[in-house]
PDB file of all heavy atoms in Angstrom:
ATOM      1  N   VAL B 753       3.577  19.246   5.482  1.00 98.00           N
ATOM      2  CA  VAL B 753       4.615  20.282   5.460  1.00 98.00           C
ATOM      3  C   VAL B 753       5.333  20.305   6.805  1.00 98.00           C
ATOM      4  O   VAL B 753       4.705  20.540   7.836  1.00 98.00           O
ATOM      5  CB  VAL B 753       3.981  21.671   5.185  1.00 98.00           C
ATOM      6  CG1 VAL B 753       5.032  22.767   5.309  1.00 98.00           C
ATOM      7  CG2 VAL B 753       3.299  21.696   3.821  1.00 98.00           C
ATOM      8  N   ASP B 754       6.613  20.034   6.797  1.00 98.00           N
ATOM      9  CA  ASP B 754       7.429  20.214   8.003  1.00 98.00           C
ATOM     10  C   ASP B 754       8.397  21.355   7.735  1.00 98.00           C
ATOM     11  O   ASP B 754       9.313  21.230   6.918  1.00 98.00           O
ATOM     12  CB  ASP B 754       8.237  18.943   8.313  1.00 98.00           C
ATOM     13  CG  ASP B 754       7.360  17.781   8.776  1.00 98.00           C
ATOM     14  OD1 ASP B 754       6.227  18.034   9.242  1.00 98.00           O
ATOM     15  OD2 ASP B 754       7.813  16.634   8.677  1.00 98.00           O
ATOM     16  N   HIS B 755       8.183  22.465   8.429  1.00 98.00           N
ATOM     17  CA  HIS B 755       9.128  23.567   8.288  1.00 98.00           C
ATOM     18  C   HIS B 755      10.452  23.215   8.953  1.00 98.00           C
ATOM     19  O   HIS B 755      10.509  22.349   9.833  1.00 98.00           O
ATOM     20  CB  HIS B 755       8.538  24.833   8.925  1.00 98.00           C
ATOM     21  CG  HIS B 755       7.370  25.389   8.174  1.00 98.00           C
ATOM     22  ND1 HIS B 755       6.065  25.211   8.590  1.00 98.00           N
ATOM     23  CD2 HIS B 755       7.303  26.089   7.009  1.00 98.00           C
ATOM     24  CE1 HIS B 755       5.245  25.798   7.719  1.00 98.00           C
ATOM     25  NE2 HIS B 755       5.972  26.323   6.749  1.00 98.00           N
ATOM     26  N   ALA B 756      11.493  23.888   8.517  1.00 98.00           N
ATOM     27  CA  ALA B 756      12.790  23.698   9.158  1.00 98.00           C
ATOM     28  C   ALA B 756      12.650  23.988  10.654  1.00 98.00           C
ATOM     29  O   ALA B 756      11.927  24.903  11.055  1.00 98.00           O
ATOM     30  CB  ALA B 756      13.830  24.622   8.534  1.00 98.00           C
ATOM     31  N   ASP B 757      13.335  23.202  11.468  1.00 98.00           N
ATOM     32  CA  ASP B 757      13.208  23.347  12.916  1.00 98.00           C
ATOM     33  C   ASP B 757      14.552  23.040  13.555  1.00 98.00           C
ATOM     34  O   ASP B 757      14.961  21.879  13.648  1.00 98.00           O
ATOM     35  CB  ASP B 757      12.131  22.390  13.434  1.00 98.00           C
ATOM     36  CG  ASP B 757      11.921  22.515  14.932  1.00 98.00           C
ATOM     37  OD1 ASP B 757      12.715  23.240  15.591  1.00 98.00           O
ATOM     38  OD2 ASP B 757      10.987  21.884  15.452  1.00 98.00           O
ATOM     39  N   PRO B 758      15.246  24.069  14.000  1.00 97.00           N
ATOM     40  CA  PRO B 758      16.587  23.835  14.579  1.00 97.00           C
ATOM     41  C   PRO B 758      16.528  23.069  15.896  1.00 97.00           C
ATOM     42  O   PRO B 758      17.532  22.488  16.312  1.00 97.00           O
ATOM     43  CB  PRO B 758      17.130  25.253  14.787  1.00 97.00           C
ATOM     44  CG  PRO B 758      15.917  26.127  14.859  1.00 97.00           C
ATOM     45  CD  PRO B 758      14.879  25.498  13.983  1.00 97.00           C
ATOM     46  N   ASP B 759      15.347  23.045  16.511  1.00 97.00           N
ATOM     47  CA  ASP B 759      15.224  22.411  17.836  1.00 97.00           C
ATOM     48  C   ASP B 759      14.549  21.048  17.779  1.00 97.00           C
ATOM     49  O   ASP B 759      14.102  20.521  18.801  1.00 97.00           O
ATOM     50  CB  ASP B 759      14.413  23.327  18.766  1.00 97.00           C
ATOM     51  CG  ASP B 759      15.080  24.673  18.920  1.00 97.00           C
ATOM     52  OD1 ASP B 759      16.328  24.699  19.017  1.00 97.00           O
ATOM     53  OD2 ASP B 759      14.367  25.696  18.928  1.00 97.00           O
ATOM     54  N   TRP B 760      14.425  20.495  16.618  1.00 97.00           N
ATOM     55  CA  TRP B 760      13.781  19.179  16.466  1.00 97.00           C
ATOM     56  C   TRP B 760      14.533  18.155  17.315  1.00 97.00           C
ATOM     57  O   TRP B 760      15.759  18.178  17.402  1.00 97.00           O
ATOM     58  CB  TRP B 760      13.774  18.812  14.993  1.00 97.00           C
ATOM     59  CG  TRP B 760      12.968  17.612  14.597  1.00 97.00           C
ATOM     60  CD1 TRP B 760      13.439  16.515  13.927  1.00 97.00           C
ATOM     61  CD2 TRP B 760      11.566  17.384  14.789  1.00 97.00           C
ATOM     62  NE1 TRP B 760      12.418  15.620  13.702  1.00 97.00           N
ATOM     63  CE2 TRP B 760      11.264  16.115  14.219  1.00 97.00           C
ATOM     64  CE3 TRP B 760      10.534  18.109  15.392  1.00 97.00           C
ATOM     65  CZ2 TRP B 760       9.976  15.569  14.237  1.00 97.00           C
ATOM     66  CZ3 TRP B 760       9.264  17.562  15.408  1.00 97.00           C
ATOM     67  CH2 TRP B 760       8.987  16.310  14.842  1.00 97.00           C
ATOM     68  N   GLY B 761      13.774  17.254  17.941  1.00 95.00           N
ATOM     69  CA  GLY B 761      14.330  16.390  18.978  1.00 95.00           C
ATOM     70  C   GLY B 761      15.525  15.540  18.595  1.00 95.00           C
ATOM     71  O   GLY B 761      16.354  15.211  19.432  1.00 95.00           O
ATOM     72  N   MET B 762      15.632  15.136  17.353  1.00 95.00           N
ATOM     73  CA  MET B 762      16.775  14.301  16.964  1.00 95.00           C
ATOM     74  C   MET B 762      17.924  15.107  16.387  1.00 95.00           C
ATOM     75  O   MET B 762      18.939  14.557  15.983  1.00 95.00           O
ATOM     76  CB  MET B 762      16.343  13.257  15.936  1.00 95.00           C
ATOM     77  CG  MET B 762      15.888  13.841  14.628  1.00 95.00           C
ATOM     78  SD  MET B 762      15.633  12.561  13.337  1.00 95.00           S
ATOM     79  CE  MET B 762      17.278  12.473  12.624  1.00 95.00           C
ATOM     80  N   GLY B 763      17.760  16.436  16.360  1.00 95.00           N
ATOM     81  CA  GLY B 763      18.735  17.304  15.702  1.00 95.00           C
ATOM     82  C   GLY B 763      18.014  18.140  14.668  1.00 95.00           C
ATOM     83  O   GLY B 763      16.883  17.836  14.302  1.00 95.00           O
ATOM     84  N   PRO B 764      18.646  19.232  14.208  1.00 97.00           N
ATOM     85  CA  PRO B 764      17.973  20.188  13.329  1.00 97.00           C
ATOM     86  C   PRO B 764      17.268  19.517  12.147  1.00 97.00           C
ATOM     87  O   PRO B 764      17.823  18.627  11.519  1.00 97.00           O
ATOM     88  CB  PRO B 764      19.122  21.078  12.848  1.00 97.00           C
ATOM     89  CG  PRO B 764      20.114  21.012  13.955  1.00 97.00           C
ATOM     90  CD  PRO B 764      20.025  19.610  14.509  1.00 97.00           C
ATOM     91  N   ARG B 765      16.035  19.984  11.902  1.00 98.00           N
ATOM     92  CA  ARG B 765      15.219  19.417  10.822  1.00 98.00           C
ATOM     93  C   ARG B 765      15.241  20.360   9.622  1.00 98.00           C
ATOM     94  O   ARG B 765      14.976  21.553   9.786  1.00 98.00           O
ATOM     95  CB  ARG B 765      13.785  19.245  11.336  1.00 98.00           C
ATOM     96  CG  ARG B 765      12.824  18.580  10.365  1.00 98.00           C
ATOM     97  CD  ARG B 765      11.460  18.366  11.015  1.00 98.00           C
ATOM     98  NE  ARG B 765      10.673  19.597  11.065  1.00 98.00           N
ATOM     99  CZ  ARG B 765       9.497  19.707  11.694  1.00 98.00           C
ATOM    100  NH1 ARG B 765       8.997  18.667  12.364  1.00 98.00           N
ATOM    101  NH2 ARG B 765       8.835  20.847  11.686  1.00 98.00           N
ATOM    102  N   PRO B 766      15.519  19.850   8.439  1.00 98.00           N
ATOM    103  CA  PRO B 766      15.418  20.708   7.258  1.00 98.00           C
ATOM    104  C   PRO B 766      13.955  20.937   6.897  1.00 98.00           C
ATOM    105  O   PRO B 766      13.065  20.245   7.400  1.00 98.00           O
ATOM    106  CB  PRO B 766      16.112  19.888   6.174  1.00 98.00           C
ATOM    107  CG  PRO B 766      15.871  18.460   6.581  1.00 98.00           C
ATOM    108  CD  PRO B 766      15.875  18.460   8.105  1.00 98.00           C
ATOM    109  N   ASP B 767      13.702  21.881   6.007  1.00 98.00           N
ATOM    110  CA  ASP B 767      12.352  22.059   5.466  1.00 98.00           C
ATOM    111  C   ASP B 767      12.079  20.873   4.548  1.00 98.00           C
ATOM    112  O   ASP B 767      12.797  20.645   3.573  1.00 98.00           O
ATOM    113  CB  ASP B 767      12.296  23.382   4.680  1.00 98.00           C
ATOM    114  CG  ASP B 767      10.890  23.684   4.161  1.00 98.00           C
ATOM    115  OD1 ASP B 767      10.419  22.988   3.234  1.00 98.00           O
ATOM    116  OD2 ASP B 767      10.268  24.606   4.690  1.00 98.00           O
ATOM    117  N   ILE B 768      11.027  20.106   4.882  1.00 98.00           N
ATOM    118  CA  ILE B 768      10.713  18.926   4.073  1.00 98.00           C
ATOM    119  C   ILE B 768       9.200  18.803   3.960  1.00 98.00           C
ATOM    120  O   ILE B 768       8.472  19.030   4.937  1.00 98.00           O
ATOM    121  CB  ILE B 768      11.387  17.655   4.651  1.00 98.00           C
ATOM    122  CG1 ILE B 768      11.106  16.431   3.770  1.00 98.00           C
ATOM    123  CG2 ILE B 768      11.010  17.395   6.089  1.00 98.00           C
ATOM    124  CD1 ILE B 768      11.992  15.237   4.085  1.00 98.00           C
ATOM    125  N   ARG B 769       8.729  18.513   2.764  1.00 98.00           N
ATOM    126  CA  ARG B 769       7.285  18.524   2.474  1.00 98.00           C
ATOM    127  C   ARG B 769       6.971  17.322   1.582  1.00 98.00           C
ATOM    128  O   ARG B 769       7.747  16.995   0.692  1.00 98.00           O
ATOM    129  CB  ARG B 769       6.926  19.822   1.739  1.00 98.00           C
ATOM    130  CG  ARG B 769       7.221  21.052   2.581  1.00 98.00           C
ATOM    131  CD  ARG B 769       7.343  22.318   1.740  1.00 98.00           C
ATOM    132  NE  ARG B 769       7.830  23.427   2.562  1.00 98.00           N
ATOM    133  CZ  ARG B 769       7.128  24.525   2.863  1.00 98.00           C
ATOM    134  NH1 ARG B 769       5.918  24.692   2.362  1.00 98.00           N
ATOM    135  NH2 ARG B 769       7.647  25.456   3.636  1.00 98.00           N
ATOM    136  N   ARG B 770       5.815  16.715   1.843  1.00 98.00           N
ATOM    137  CA  ARG B 770       5.491  15.490   1.109  1.00 98.00           C
ATOM    138  C   ARG B 770       4.080  15.566   0.534  1.00 98.00           C
ATOM    139  O   ARG B 770       3.167  16.105   1.161  1.00 98.00           O
ATOM    140  CB  ARG B 770       5.552  14.291   2.064  1.00 98.00           C
ATOM    141  CG  ARG B 770       5.389  12.933   1.372  1.00 98.00           C
ATOM    142  CD  ARG B 770       5.246  11.807   2.384  1.00 98.00           C
ATOM    143  NE  ARG B 770       3.937  11.842   3.006  1.00 98.00           N
ATOM    144  CZ  ARG B 770       3.708  11.762   4.308  1.00 98.00           C
ATOM    145  NH1 ARG B 770       4.700  11.647   5.169  1.00 98.00           N
ATOM    146  NH2 ARG B 770       2.473  11.811   4.772  1.00 98.00           N
ATOM    147  N   MET B 771       3.909  15.037  -0.654  1.00 98.00           N
ATOM    148  CA  MET B 771       2.568  14.911  -1.212  1.00 98.00           C
ATOM    149  C   MET B 771       2.518  13.662  -2.085  1.00 98.00           C
ATOM    150  O   MET B 771       3.534  13.085  -2.430  1.00 98.00           O
ATOM    151  CB  MET B 771       2.201  16.134  -2.049  1.00 98.00           C
ATOM    152  CG  MET B 771       3.054  16.323  -3.271  1.00 98.00           C
ATOM    153  SD  MET B 771       2.549  17.770  -4.282  1.00 98.00           S
ATOM    154  CE  MET B 771       1.189  17.056  -5.225  1.00 98.00           C
TER     155      MET B 771
END
Side-chain angles (χ1 to χ4, degrees):
Chain B
V753 174
D754 291 339
H755 291 102
D757 181 352
D759 301 320
W760 190 236
M762 65 171 271
R765 184 176 78 186
D767 184 289
I768 182 166
R769 298 160 189 246
R770 187 189 73 228
M771 64 178 278

